[in-house]
Amino acid sequence: MLTLDYDYEKNILLTMTKGVIGVEDMLKHYNTIIENDSFPRKLNVLIDCKGTSCTTKPDEIDIFYNKVKTAIRKYIQIREAILVDQPYETAFVILFEKLIKIENYEFKIFYSEKVAMNWLLNES
């Protein structure tokens, strides 16, 4: 399950996952970014996947690469911090981080919400 909520105080899109997620859940995240015109053009995103199992396979990363390319066209910059704590999910997002290289898109892995928020709130 995936829920999205925008924190107007911190100006961060919060994506929370729970249970088991797959390709469709992850695409929902990027579709929301693409379809929502009210988000700021410099979008900061915190994705909390702690305690979540992912059924997505490494050969499906191209699906997300194409979605991110579509999303970034609407934004000046997108910065995504992802929180993970499970072995497979950590390996998957490390692979994602290494393979997804798109101008004005940053994606980093964190284990601590405090450190992730600090990175998101401090412009590079």
Side-chain angles (χ1 to χ4, degrees):
M1 183 173 93
L2 181 125
T3 58
L4 295 101
D5 186 39
Y6 195 82
D7 182 334
Y8 289 94
E9 188 176 309
K10 294 179 181 171
N11 288 321
I12 293 177
L13 176 62
L14 304 170
T15 299
M16 306 296 288
T17 65
K18 191 174 188 180
V20 178
I21 62 168
V23 172
E24 292 304 316
D25 296 303
M26 295 169 80
L27 290 177
K28 176 183 174 187
H29 166 78
Y30 289 109
N31 286 333
T32 298
I33 290 172
I34 292 166
E35 295 166 5
N36 190 314
D37 293 327
S38 69
F39 294 149
R41 297 303 91 191
K42 283 188 167 186
L43 183 62
N44 291 322
V45 183
L46 178 67
I47 307 166
D48 188 345
C49 291
K50 291 192 297 187
T52 302
S53 295
C54 178
T55 62
T56 307
K57 305 291 183 233
D59 63 354
E60 295 173 311
I61 286 178
D62 279 351
I63 296 168
F64 306 112
Y65 177 80
N66 292 325
K67 276 293 181 184
V68 171
K69 279 181 63 176
T70 300
I72 197 65
R73 290 182 194 135
K74 291 184 65 178
Y75 293 87
I76 294 167
Q77 178 185 47
I78 297 175
R79 299 174 86 214
E80 293 189 302
I82 187 164
L83 299 171
V84 291
D85 64 355
Q86 304 295 316
Y88 176 81
E89 291 68 22
T90 300
F92 183 83
V93 296
I94 288 171
L95 186 60
F96 183 87
E97 180 184 43
K98 299 291 181 207
L99 295 177
I100 304 295
K101 301 295 182 196
I102 298 172
E103 188 175 341
N104 300 321
Y105 175 77
E106 292 180 81
F107 180 90
K108 288 198 178 207
I109 303 159
F110 296 91
Y111 304 97
S112 159
E113 183 175 344
K114 181 179 178 182
V115 176
M117 291 295 281
N118 188 48
W119 178 74
L120 285 171
L121 296 174
N122 292 301
E123 296 271 335
S124 59

